[in-house]
Amino acid sequence: MRPIQGPKLRSFRGGDLEAGSVEALERTGQADRIRLENADLTGMDLSGGRLTECLLRSVALVDTDFSAASVLESSWERVNAPHLKAPRSTWRDVSVEGSRFGVAELYDAGISGLVLRGCKLDLVNLRNAVLADVLFEHCTIAELDISGARATRVKFSDCTVGTLEARDARLKDVDLRGAALSRIVGLAGLKGAVISEEQLVELAPSLADHLGLVVSDASR
């Protein structure tokens, strides 16, 4: 078996960032090389907007609309987003740390170079998204839906995933060995993923059900 390739990631180097203005961001929908700290972006419409080389720290994103927006070479820290609306959005070279997400709508998104570290997420909808070079580290995810997604070089490290839905997913170099998986829907979609021997044993009942096998201890 060929060695699995891990995510190719670039770290965010903010340097000297100017203090940003919530009012200016709301007015223009764009920001370059700013930092926003202890800010409230509740209900803000940033659809189609762009954040480039920005630091968001301790920011509230309650029903903030990032539909078709671009988040590029940026860092989010201790962000609280009960409902993140970001379908068809673009993420490139972004790190998200110590943050809390309720529902994260990222379907049809394009994600290249993303680190989620120490985050808690209830529902992550990545249906039909295209992902490359993504790292989930020390994260707790109640439900992760990658149905129809294309994922390359994605790794989980010390994560817990309640339900993983993978119907019609296309995976390459997706490393699930660092994820505690409680339930999987759409086992066929895991083709191309890497799991541990322990995970294989844990998945045996689901695999038997998927293949229509009858498991019996007694022979007749």
Side-chain angles (χ1 to χ4, degrees), residues 189-208:
L190 290 186
K191 181 180 179 181
V194 176
I195 61 173
S196 66
E197 292 183 2
E198 182 181 358
Q199 286 173 314
L200 178 59
V201 172
E202 293 171 349
L203 288 173
S206 296
L207 286 168

Side-chain angles (χ1 to χ4, degrees), residues 119-162:
C119 296
K120 185 173 182 180
L121 309 101
D122 291 340
L123 170 60
V124 184
N125 182 353
L126 286 164
R127 283 177 173 255
N128 301 311
V130 179
L131 301 91
D133 302 309
V134 177
L135 173 64
F136 294 89
E137 189 172 59
H138 311 309
C139 291
T140 300
I141 307 171
E143 185 174 350
L144 176 60
D145 189 349
I146 58 171
S147 300
R150 286 185 290 156
T152 306
R153 295 185 301 278
V154 176
K155 181 176 181 178
F156 292 79
S157 177
D158 189 26
C159 293
T160 300
V161 180

Side-chain angles (χ1 to χ4, degrees), residues 5 18 20 25 28 52-53 55 59 75 80 97 102 108-109 115 134 146 162 179-180 183 201 220:
Q5 295 188 38
E18 296 183 1
L25 179 59
T28 66
T52 304
E53 295 186 69
L55 169 64
V59 171
S75 178
N80 180 39
E97 300 192 24
D108 296 322
V115 176
V134 177
I146 58 171
R183 178 173 175 261
V201 172
R220 297 182 183 273

Side-chain angles (χ1 to χ4, degrees), residues 11-18 33-34 53-55 73 75:
S11 58
F12 171 70
R13 297 174 182 173
D16 296 325
L17 302 176
E18 296 183 1
R33 295 194 57 75
I34 68 165
E53 295 186 69
C54 294
L55 169 64
E73 301 174 37
S75 178

Side-chain angles (χ1 to χ4, degrees), residues 93-109:
D93 298 328
V94 176
S95 66
V96 181
E97 300 192 24
S99 297
R100 175 75 170 86
F101 295 86
V103 176
E105 296 183 31
L106 292 161
Y107 56 86
D108 296 322

Side-chain angles (χ1 to χ4, degrees), residues 64-110:
T64 307
D65 191 350
F66 282 92
S67 300
S70 296
V71 182
L72 313 173
E73 301 174 37
S74 296
S75 178
W76 292 10
E77 301 173 6
R78 300 189 298 277
V79 165
N80 180 39
H83 184 194
L84 180 69
K85 294 183 285 187
R88 302 176 301 283
S89 54
T90 299
W91 304 72
R92 189 181 73 230
D93 298 328
V94 176
S95 66
V96 181
E97 300 192 24
S99 297
R100 175 75 170 86
F101 295 86
V103 176
E105 296 183 31
L106 292 161
Y107 56 86
D108 296 322

